[in-house]
């Protein structure tokens, strides 16, 4: 992976995963937002280029990202108010993520289909390891499994007594999260490089 991409992914990992509460339901909410913003942003950027509004391209794309984020947050405020209240301003982290902006505005790919495929693959890799992080912290640090429940509240299944967690409570702290992010980031880069090698070897044949 290129040095620039590494920096973007490290920044995205830190910005999205460190301040967010370590519950699966919150991770799903933000990662779903990130992926929807990515797809919508690429579509808007494609249309802007097609209709030759290139001079105001950045403003149009950023306006869409912020507008959608406001709508997305309002949907959760109505449907799952507990999630919306807990996340608060964290809803606005994905649209200003350098990873998202780079995938939308800095892509050199001209074919719409290939661009969606390439960007979505990167985003799904990022989301997969992010969900592992949130699920791990939810179960190991709190002894629970959380998801979207009824009556605007979070469904929480207590798996075991949180008083018996012991040393695993370390992963509920900021230093613990940073350690987990380091491991997951290494695995993320490792598998991306493996896939790139396999792809290049296949093309060479």
């Amino acid at each position: 992976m290129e040095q620039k991409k590494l920096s973007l992914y490290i920044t995205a990992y830190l910005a999205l995963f460190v301040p967010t509460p370590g519950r699966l339901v919150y991770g799903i909410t933000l990662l779903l937002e990130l992926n929807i913003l990515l797809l919508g942003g690429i579509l808007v950027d494609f249309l802007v280029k097609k209709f030759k509004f290139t001079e105001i391209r950045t403003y149009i794309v950023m306006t869409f990202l912020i507008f959608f984020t406001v709508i997305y947050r309002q949907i959760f405020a109505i449907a799952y108010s507990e999630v919306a209240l807990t996340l608060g301003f964290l809803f606005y982290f994905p649209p200003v993520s350098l990873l998202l902006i780079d995938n939308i505005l800095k892509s050199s790919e001209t074919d719409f289909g290939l661009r969606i495929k390439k960007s979505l693959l990167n985003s799904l890799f990022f989301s997969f390891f992010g969900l592992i992080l949130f699920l791990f912290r939810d179960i190991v640090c709190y002894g629970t499994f959380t998801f979207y429940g009824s009556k605007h509240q979070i469904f929480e299944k207590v798996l075991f007594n949180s008083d018996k967690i012991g040393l695993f409570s370390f992963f509920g702290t900021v230093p613990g999260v940073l350690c987990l992010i380091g491991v997951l980031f290494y695995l993320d880069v490792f598998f991306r490089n493996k896939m790139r090698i396999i792809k290049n070897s296949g093309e060479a044949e």
Side-chain angles (χ1 to χ4, degrees):
M1 187 181 290
E2 298 176 4
Q3 189 65 37
K4 178 184 176 183
K5 292 291 185 181
L6 280 173
S7 300
L8 291 175
Y9 275 93
I10 290 174
T11 303
Y13 267 100
L14 295 175
L16 289 179
F17 299 154
V18 173
T20 306
R23 302 299 181 99
L24 179 63
V25 66
Y26 301 134
I28 293 174
T29 302
L30 290 183
L31 291 171
L32 177 63
E33 177 188 3
L34 179 71
N35 284 279
I36 295 175
L37 285 173
L38 176 64
L39 293 175
I42 291 175
L43 176 60
V44 170
D45 187 54
F46 175 78
L47 293 174
V48 167
K49 288 180 177 178
K50 184 175 182 179
F51 291 104
K52 304 187 185 304
F53 292 121
T54 51
E55 293 183 359
I56 55 173
R57 171 190 169 213
T58 302
Y59 299 104
I60 294 176
V61 172
M62 293 305 299
T63 299
F64 163 77
L65 295 179
I66 298 300
F67 176 77
F68 178 83
T69 300
V70 173
I71 298 299
Y72 186 80
R73 186 180 184 280
Q74 284 303 113
I75 291 173
F76 271 87
I78 296 171
Y80 294 101
S81 54
E82 189 176 354
V83 174
L85 287 172
T86 302
L87 290 178
F89 70 93
L90 292 174
F91 276 105
Y92 298 100
F93 277 30
V96 295
S97 166
L98 293 176
L99 176 64
L100 180 69
I101 295 172
D102 182 76
N103 272 284
I104 295 175
L105 295 177
K106 303 297 183 180
S107 177
S108 58
E109 183 62 62
T110 55
D111 183 88
F112 180 72
L114 289 176
R115 186 177 174 188
I116 286 286
K117 181 180 178 180
K118 183 178 179 181
S119 297
L120 193 58
L121 181 63
N122 289 331
S123 182
L124 289 178
F125 252 102
F126 177 82
S127 300
F128 173 73
F129 287 106
L131 289 176
I132 289 177
L133 174 67
F134 284 107
L135 180 61
F136 178 84
R137 294 185 69 202
D138 201 352
I139 295 175
V140 173
C141 300
Y142 303 102
T144 59
F145 174 82
T146 57
F147 202 70
Y148 302 107
S150 58
K151 298 181 180 179
H152 311 288
Q153 296 184 350
I154 296 172
F155 166 78
E156 181 178 87
K157 173 68 174 178
V158 178
L159 302 177
F160 53 85
N161 191 339
S162 59
D163 294 333
K164 299 180 180 179
I165 292 172
L167 293 175
F168 286 108
S169 61
F170 167 73
F171 295 111
T173 65
V174 172
V177 178
L178 292 174
C179 290
L180 290 174
I181 287 175
V183 173
L184 289 175
F185 181 71
Y186 171 79
L187 292 174
D188 189 348
V189 174
F190 175 80
F191 283 110
R192 286 175 190 273
N193 288 336
K194 281 291 184 182
M195 289 185 64
R196 179 176 55 80
I197 292 171
I198 293 172
K199 180 182 177 182
N200 290 339
S201 61
E203 290 177 352
E205 293 176 1

